[in-house]
Amino acid sequence: KDMKDTKQQFEHVIAVCRDLFSKKLHDYGPAWRILRPSSVTDQIFIKANRIRTLETTGESLVDEGIVPELIAIVNYAIMGQVVLERPVSISNAETDLLSCDEALNLYDEYATKTLELMLRKNHDYNEAWRGMRVTSYTDFILMKLLRTKQIEELKGNTLVSEGVAANYMDIMNYAVFGLIKLDIEQEN
């Protein structure tokens, strides 16, 4: 596989994730806009923690496997980037909600930014992600989430660290790599 394949695989995974995002947007509207970044971080943490539990125990009492959780992580990572850069106050939450078209345009904008970051890093790391285990992506996602929580606790006053948005992008990229490695067609 070369980096052109990686770009195509990434775009395919994002198309699958975006399709679910779009359907949920239809059903629920952009209610997620009310979330604070810390709540998005916690929601991703719940998803990643469930993946780790499934990987560790192999048991699931809810009829959803790892793939749907990784898709959710991708979508929440994009939502996180949106709410980080475009916060909504509770007093004007109703009027600050986006139209479905605006939400999908923002989805595409942040998916593209994240793809571009992945391509730059992938060039520098020479496709190293392909030699990793999916369980390592889970651990790296959890580590990035713990880092993000710490940054949130510090209210962004870090000494040398990237910000929350960069962590959301890295989390999303690890989730995409996991979906590529698991071949999302198997469970969809």
Side-chain angles (χ1 to χ4, degrees), residues 145-156 158:
L145 288 163
L146 292 174
R147 287 179 177 181
T148 301
K149 285 182 175 195
Q150 178 64 20
I151 293 167
E152 289 168 348
E153 294 301 312
L154 293 171
K155 298 189 181 4
T158 59

Side-chain angles (χ1 to χ4, degrees), residues 37-100:
S38 58
S39 297
V40 176
T41 301
D42 286 345
Q43 183 63 31
I44 297 171
F45 180 79
I46 290 167
K47 300 292 183 186
N49 200 47
R50 181 163 187 273
I51 292 169
R52 180 140 166 182
T53 300
L54 290 172
E55 290 170 344
T56 305
T57 67
E59 295 175 11
S60 173
L61 298 180
V62 179
D63 189 28
E64 283 191 354
I66 293 170
V67 166
E69 300 293 10
L70 286 170
I71 291 171
I73 288 172
V74 168
N75 287 341
Y76 276 109
I78 288 180
M79 290 179 223
Q81 291 176 70
V82 173
V83 299
L84 200 58
E85 290 190 24
R86 299 166 182 252
V88 172
S89 70
I90 194 73
S91 59
N92 59 350
E94 293 291 326
T95 57
D96 268 1
L97 290 179
L98 303 164
S99 72
C100 290

Side-chain angles (χ1 to χ4, degrees), residues 12 31 33 35 38-39 74 84 101 115 136 138 154 161 164 168 179 181 188:
H12 171 71
R33 287 283 290 129
L35 295 173
S38 58
S39 297
V74 168
L84 200 58
D101 285 343
L115 167 64
S136 294
T138 305
L154 293 171
S161 304
V164 172
Y168 282 149
L179 288 164
K181 292 275 289 234
N188 281 342

